[in-house]
């Protein structure tokens, strides 16, 4: 490894080159050896590429090109700018004060933190009592996230996990006090064993912010940050009563009976049920707040009560997801009783997949973020409430609102199909948060090599968002770098072919970026073979031809050609798979559970269809259309237009892409015959990223 020391950008380009030739991925060790660089230097390049989606890690020690390259290739390929993809609906009411503050009939106790004011930077301590479930992980990540977001004022965040040991947490609190932290966040175990340590911290003038669980009276902390426990219990319970028409039998599933927030939720729900004389509580069970324990507990309830159960009240989706699964196991798929309980992504996914009416309020781990913000407010000497409740939206299945319980957001808009079932919602860390890859403070070294890598990725992101090209003046502002530095960086990138210079100061994505894009989804060979075929089809038929692939669970046009004067099939266009002939053929032969999940998550009613199909009807219709060598129809793309489509299969017989031909309706028979006669090349099976949701979310 002696001789020339490669820069970070040179390593990045080498990684891209090698992965274009190995679309299935390569071992990190193999890359390091092939590039003749130390693993530490290689990881300095791989980490930011992974974080930005330019690489993916299918398993430990392996990397492959990420889907972001395909998005860039499509942007470069498109003949016209595509409309921006619709953003996820913003959750109404996710910001601002909680309802409990706005609707409080009494007055709010305020705290004047002026005596605690001190200039930054600050050192925060976080004493965490437990890591017993996935929700706790979200809380911890929230504290870390907020500290990183306020790095200009927080010099260090020190964390200690007691792991359910009260004596250990008491020692942690004393240690933080002795270390001289400026503010201490405590998520306590609910035991009086902590009170002496908290009293010593308070006597030393250390501001304590209690979060999640509360301990003792207000004298043991300056501020308490909590979730709206009573609302989480009361509102879904009222919805359940009204959904059942005021009459029926319910079972209650409650977590640890010794945890305060859970007790408050259950008490609030029982108050609602007590005021509804037609509602009977058959039984209450306690679980360990996991999917597995909820599944076991509900299996027992079904065995004891069966069809007598009209509704299920759960204080959390951590075991609510297990409850739904138990009903499906028992043969109730499609007729599972109404449920409550949020928090975990799995409960929303399962409710949609199995047609379960659901009302939920996530217990927000974002209170970890709010606790850090409260600590900063205290150290700035501001006035703030003694008790801060973090708001969370009311989530209800579409079409299932009741007279007095209305949704802030619908289940179908709240669910995250692009994240694992284990994701805890209400985390407040942005759309890209993934607990499995969360990291703070990694891959952002301030040396010049790291800056060049990050700036290269910033340029690629900018080009991807702007049709594959941008002006140098725009890039200078977007990437925030001097003109001389940008030109120094563009030299090797253009020489490699990742970028190319256009006229009038324009920078475009280059041929290697395009190659990486098609390699990223395993169609590099297919794209090369399809291009001349599309040209020939468009010229011969006088129509438009395109290659469609399944990308991001939508039918995406990867390549397109059109005869002169004919409107093209827009390259880069993304549509729900059920909207187009090509999309339906792409998924028609998927395994049943995979197809059902994909349609439940991503199918959308066509705007020109009066009566949308149910999920079983849609599955049957798509199955009927698939299996043909060439499928054809008239009128879907336009009143006088016909489309013919032929699946392109790999060596394993699976559909990799669809060749689509759009012509005048009168020319459709000839177009269909032309597709029938094509001698399509055999090719290797596709390299398709495994979606963890597919199996994890389904029975």
């Amino acid at each position: 490894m002696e001789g020339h020391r490669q820069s970070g950008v040179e390593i990045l380009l080498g990684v891209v080159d090698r992965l274009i030739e190995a679309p299935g991925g390569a071992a990190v060790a193999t890359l390091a050896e092939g590039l003749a660089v130390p693993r530490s230097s290689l990881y300095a390049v791989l980490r930011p590429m992974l974080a930005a989606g330019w690489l993916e890690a299918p398993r430990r020690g392996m990397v492959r090109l990420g889907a972001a390259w395909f998005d860039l290739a499509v942007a470069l390929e498109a003949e016209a700018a595509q409309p921006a993809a619709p953003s996820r609906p913003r959750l109404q009411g996710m910001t601002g004060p909680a309802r409990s503050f706005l609707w409080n009939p009494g007055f709010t106790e305020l705290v004047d933190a002026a005596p605690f004011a001190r200039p930054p930077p600050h050192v925060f301590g976080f004493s965490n009592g437990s890591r017993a479930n996935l929700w706790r992980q979200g809380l911890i990540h929230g504290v870390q996230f907020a500290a990183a977001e306020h790095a200009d004022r927080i010099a260090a965040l020190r964390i200690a996990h007691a792991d359910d040991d009260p004596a250990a947490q008491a020692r942690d609190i004393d240690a933080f006090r002795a270390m001289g932290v400026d503010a201490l966040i405590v998520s306590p175990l609910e035991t009086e064993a902590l009170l002496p340590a908290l009293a010593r911290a308070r006597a030393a003038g250390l501001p304590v912010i209690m979060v999640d669980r509360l301990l003792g009276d207000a004298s043991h902390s300056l501020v308490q940050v909590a979730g709206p426990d009573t609302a989480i219990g009361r509102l879904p319970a009222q919805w359940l009563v009204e959904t059942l028409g005021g009459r029926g039998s319910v079972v209650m599933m409650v977590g640890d009976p010794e945890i305060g927030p859970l007790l408050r939720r259950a008490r609030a729900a029982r108050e609602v049920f007590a005021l509804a004389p037609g509602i009977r509580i058959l039984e209450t069970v306690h679980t360990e707040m996991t999917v597995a324990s909820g599944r076991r507990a509900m299996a027992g309830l079904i065995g004891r009560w069966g069809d007598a159960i009209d509704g299920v009240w759960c204080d959390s989706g951590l075991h609510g997801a297990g409850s739904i699964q138990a009903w499906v196991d028992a043969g109730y798929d499609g007729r599972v009783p109404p449920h409550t309980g949020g928090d975990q992504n799995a409960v929303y996914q399962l409710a949609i997949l199995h047609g379960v009416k659901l009302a939920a309020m996530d217990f927000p781990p974002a209170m970890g973020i709010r606790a850090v913000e409260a600590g900063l407010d205290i150290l700035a000497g501001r006035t703030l409430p003694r008790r801060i409740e973090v708001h969370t939206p009311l989530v209800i299945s579409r079409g299932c609102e009741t007279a007095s319980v209305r949704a802030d957001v619908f289940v179908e808009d709240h669910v995250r199909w692009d994240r694992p079932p284990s994701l805890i919602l209400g985390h407040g860390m942005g759309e890209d948060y993934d607990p499995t890859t969360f990291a703070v403070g990694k891959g952002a070294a301030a040396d010049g090599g790291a800056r060049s890598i990050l700036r290269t990725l910033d340029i690629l992101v900018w080009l991807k968002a702007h049709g594959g090209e941008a002006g140098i003046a725009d890039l200078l502002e977007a990437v925030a770098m001097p003109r001389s530095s940008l030109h120094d960086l563009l030299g090797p990138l253009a020489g490699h072919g990742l970028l190319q210079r256009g006229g009038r100061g324009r920078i475009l994505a280059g041929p290697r970026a395009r190659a990486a894009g098609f390699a990223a989804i395993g169609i590099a060979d297919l794209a090369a073979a399809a291009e001349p075929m599309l040209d020939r089809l468009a010229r011969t038929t006088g129509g438009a031809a395109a290659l469609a692939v399944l990308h991001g669970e939508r039918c995406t046009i990867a390549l397109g050609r059109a005869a002169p004067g004919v409107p093209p099939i827009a390259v880069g266009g993304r549509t729900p798979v059920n909207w187009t002939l090509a999309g339906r053929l792409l998924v028609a032969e998927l395994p049943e559970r995979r197809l059902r999940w994909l349609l439940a998550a991503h199918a959308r009613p066509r705007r020109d269809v009066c009566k949308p199909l149910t999920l079983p009807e849609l599955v049957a219709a798509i199955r009927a259309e698939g299996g043909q060598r060439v499928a054809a129809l008239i009128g879907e793309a336009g009143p006088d237009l016909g489309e013919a489509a032929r699946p392109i299969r790999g060596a394993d017989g699976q559909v990799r892409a669809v060749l689509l031909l759009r012509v005048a309706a009168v020319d459709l028979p000839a177009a269909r015959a032309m597709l029938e006669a094509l001698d399509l090349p055999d090719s290797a099976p596709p390299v398709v990223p495994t979606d963890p949701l597919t199996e994890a979310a389904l029975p």
Side-chain angles (χ1 to χ4, degrees):
M1 296 188 184
E2 298 294 324
H4 171 65
R5 184 176 183 274
Q6 298 185 63
S7 69
V9 171
E10 288 174 322
I11 296 173
L12 183 152
L13 296 175
V15 167
V16 172
D17 281 344
R18 279 160 175 76
L19 293 181
I20 288 174
E21 303 305 320
V28 173
T30 303
L31 286 174
E33 182 179 357
L35 295 170
V37 296
R39 288 200 194 183
S40 58
S41 300
L42 180 59
Y43 275 115
V45 174
L46 299 183
R47 287 192 187 106
M49 294 183 75
L50 285 162
W54 299 102
L55 293 180
E56 296 171 353
R59 59 183 180 272
R60 188 175 181 84
M62 289 282 294
V63 292
R64 66 183 174 209
L65 293 170
W69 289 108
F70 180 66
D71 294 332
L72 178 57
V74 165
L76 181 65
E77 193 72 23
E79 296 182 14
Q82 66 184 66
S87 60
R88 277 178 53 84
R90 293 185 59 84
L91 301 186
Q92 302 172 28
M94 274 301 287
T95 58
R99 289 183 175 96
S100 56
F101 175 80
L102 296 174
W103 296 349
N104 182 5
F107 294 100
T108 300
E109 182 182 1
L110 301 178
V111 173
D112 180 6
F116 299 95
R118 64 195 67 181
H122 308 299
V123 175
F124 275 52
F126 176 33
S127 170
N128 178 50
S130 178
R131 291 183 285 186
N133 56 53
L134 292 168
W135 188 92
R136 306 289 310 174
Q137 180 188 57
L139 176 74
I140 296 163
H141 287 175
V143 173
Q144 295 173 307
F145 174 85
E149 288 290 293
H150 296 285
D152 57 330
R153 288 185 285 167
I154 299 177
L157 170 67
R158 297 169 180 167
I159 301 177
H161 300 292
D163 291 326
D164 302 296
D165 182 345
Q169 187 162 30
R171 291 193 297 270
D172 294 340
I173 293 170
D174 281 333
F176 281 131
R177 172 178 53 82
M179 291 163 63
V181 297
D182 297 303
L184 177 60
I185 298 170
V186 179
S187 181
L189 298 168
E190 292 181 299
T191 168
E192 292 185 355
L194 302 185
L195 295 180
L198 289 169
R200 289 189 289 271
R202 189 70 186 268
L206 174 61
V208 173
I209 302 100
M210 205 82 75
V211 65
D212 171 29
R213 305 170 183 177
L214 308 179
L215 183 63
D217 58 33
S219 66
H220 299 293
S221 60
L222 188 65
V223 169
Q224 300 172 338
V225 179
D229 299 316
T230 54
I232 290 174
R234 183 177 294 131
L235 287 171
Q238 183 64 33
W239 171 86
L240 189 57
V241 169
E242 295 180 11
T243 296
L244 297 178
R247 300 188 62 82
S249 299
V250 302
V251 293
M252 298 183 67
M253 188 173 286
V254 184
D256 190 332
E258 297 183 358
I259 295 177
L262 306 183
L263 289 175
R264 288 188 285 275
R265 293 181 215 172
R267 177 179 174 180
R270 288 193 182 97
E271 288 177 356
V272 172
F273 296 145
L275 293 171
I279 296 295
R280 175 191 174 201
I281 300 175
L282 294 175
E283 189 175 342
T284 299
V285 295
H286 296 279
T287 80
E288 300 167 357
M289 299 288 285
T290 64
V291 173
S293 64
R295 193 171 187 171
R296 289 193 301 270
M298 185 50 67
L301 288 169
I302 294 171
R304 291 189 291 277
W305 298 102
D307 290 339
I309 302 173
D310 298 309
V312 180
W313 182 91
C314 299
D315 61 4
S316 169
L318 290 171
H319 43 206
S323 172
I324 293 177
Q325 191 63 71
W327 283 98
V328 174
D329 295 342
Y332 285 81
D333 192 1
R335 50 194 185 94
V336 178
H339 271 60
T340 72
D343 302 333
Q344 192 172 30
N345 201 22
V347 74
Y348 297 109
Q349 294 174 346
L350 290 169
I352 294 172
L353 288 170
H354 299 293
V356 184
K357 295 179 180 179
L358 178 71
M361 295 180 73
D362 301 324
F363 189 57
M367 63 182 75
I369 298 174
R370 187 67 185 91
V372 173
E373 294 171 347
L376 290 171
D377 287 341
I378 290 168
L379 296 174
R382 300 191 178 107
T383 297
L384 60 167
R386 173 81 69 183
R387 178 184 171 90
I388 301 171
E389 284 199 358
V390 178
H391 180 53
T392 186
L394 180 57
V395 187
I396 299 176
S397 299
R398 194 182 303 276
C400 297
E401 295 172 296
T402 63
S404 59
V405 186
R406 315 296 290 178
D408 293 319
V409 64
F410 293 119
V411 169
E412 293 78 4
D413 294 327
H414 189 56
V415 67
R416 291 298 301 270
W417 293 107
D418 58 339
R419 289 291 181 268
S422 59
L423 175 70
I424 301 299
L425 299 172
H427 50 74
M429 287 175 273
E431 295 287 299
D432 295 330
Y433 169 69
D434 185 333
T436 63
T437 59
F438 176 81
V440 174
K442 293 183 179 180
D447 62 275
R451 278 200 303 271
S452 295
I453 296 166
L454 295 174
R455 283 169 170 170
T456 299
L457 298 180
D458 285 343
I459 290 171
L460 293 173
V461 169
W462 188 260
L463 292 175
K464 179 162 69 76
H466 293 82
E469 65 173 287
I472 287 180
D474 295 329
L475 283 176
L476 286 170
E477 186 174 357
V479 184
M481 63 188 300
R483 181 177 291 270
S484 59
S485 300
L486 177 61
H487 282 288
D488 289 343
L489 186 58
L490 291 177
L493 296 177
H496 170 269
L498 194 67
L499 302 181
Q500 57 187 340
R501 297 180 185 272
R504 306 182 65 177
R506 307 291 291 177
I507 299 297
L508 292 78
R512 294 303 283 171
R514 184 178 186 274
F518 292 133
I521 62 168
I523 65 164
D525 58 330
L526 199 55
E531 284 187 284
M533 196 181 305
L534 295 174
D535 278 329
R536 186 170 65 255
L537 286 170
R539 288 196 312 270
T540 305
T541 63
L547 183 74
V549 297
L550 188 64
H551 174 58
E553 312 302 353
R554 291 195 164 212
C555 175
T556 302
I557 303 301
L559 292 169
R561 298 291 186 269
V566 173
I569 301 171
V571 172
R574 289 173 167 86
T575 54
V577 293
N578 60 306
W579 279 20
T580 64
L581 177 63
R584 296 190 292 273
L585 293 182
L586 283 168
V587 302
E589 299 173 30
L590 290 177
E592 182 70 18
R593 292 202 295 179
R594 166 71 170 155
L595 177 59
R596 185 179 178 187
W597 169 83
L598 189 149
L599 294 177
H602 298 284
R604 296 291 183 270
R606 284 181 60 98
R607 288 182 286 270
D608 55 353
V609 174
C610 297
K611 185 178 184 299
L613 298 178
T614 65
L615 181 58
E617 290 171 340
L618 185 56
V619 169
I622 289 176
R623 292 285 193 215
E625 204 164 27
Q628 305 178 60
R629 180 178 172 86
V630 176
L633 53 75
I634 293 175
E636 189 170 67
D640 300 318
L641 293 176
E643 287 186 328
R646 178 174 172 181
I648 301 177
R649 303 177 185 277
D652 60 356
Q654 296 180 9
V655 176
R656 295 182 65 191
V658 168
L659 200 59
L660 177 66
L661 193 52
R662 183 178 296 167
V663 296
V666 295
D667 297 328
L668 184 59
R672 180 170 187 166
M674 189 171 297
L675 285 183
E676 287 271 10
L678 281 178
D679 181 19
L680 294 179
D682 291 328
S683 49
V687 179
V688 179
T690 300
D691 189 337
L693 284 174
T694 303
E695 294 301 325
L698 294 176

